[in-house]
Amino acid sequence: MRKILIVLMASFFISGCFPGVHKIDIPQGNVVTQDMIDQLRPGMTPSQVRFIMGTPLITDTFSDERWDYLYSFQEGGKQRTQERISLYFTQGKLSRFSGDFKPTAATPSE
């Protein structure tokens, strides 16, 4: 009986030591959806854009006229995917955007 108990306990300890048994999902950055992109309109103020999109992950240090939103996701042990979108402002108003998302409505794009 004692040998069986020792073998069972040893198997429980060893099973936790194998690499790759459990891999977690790793999301990073700003989540951007197509619905958010479709709400963007030329002439929006930075505060209106921030209300829709949230705070940008990256703002240009030398100019307030470009905001970058990045999102990467790696599902447990699989290949990492990344999406990005850059918003451009002219004289304090949204003028265009470029990146991995395309508008489905009449919104500005590059």
Side-chain angles (χ1 to χ4, degrees):
M1 184 66 160
R2 187 176 278 195
K3 287 183 182 181
I4 294 173
L5 187 58
I6 290 172
V7 170
L8 284 176
M9 290 188 65
S11 67
F12 285 127
F13 288 123
I14 291 172
S15 67
C17 297
F18 288 116
V21 172
H22 177 69
K23 295 187 179 182
I24 61 171
D25 296 341
I26 305 171
Q28 295 178 322
N30 300 92
V31 175
V32 177
T33 64
Q34 187 63 47
D35 183 50
M36 295 163 78
I37 300 301
D38 291 341
Q39 292 180 45
L40 296 176
R41 300 286 182 257
M44 289 181 131
T45 65
S47 62
Q48 290 172 320
V49 172
R50 186 174 277 123
F51 179 77
I52 293 170
M53 300 290 290
T55 304
L57 185 65
I58 302 170
T59 54
D60 191 343
T61 309
F62 302 105
S63 172
D64 291 336
E65 296 184 356
R66 178 179 172 173
W67 292 0
D68 292 298
Y69 293 84
L70 300 172
Y71 179 70
S72 70
F73 182 75
Q74 183 173 5
E75 191 175 346
K78 296 183 181 175
Q79 186 71 16
R80 182 174 65 100
T81 59
Q82 182 172 322
E83 298 173 331
R84 73 166 188 85
I85 186 161
S86 298
L87 304 178
Y88 299 92
F89 295 87
T90 304
Q91 298 177 357
K93 303 288 182 180
L94 180 65
S95 58
R96 62 189 175 95
F97 64 84
S98 66
D100 297 326
F101 291 91
K102 303 295 179 207
T104 57
T107 56
S109 65
E110 181 178 83

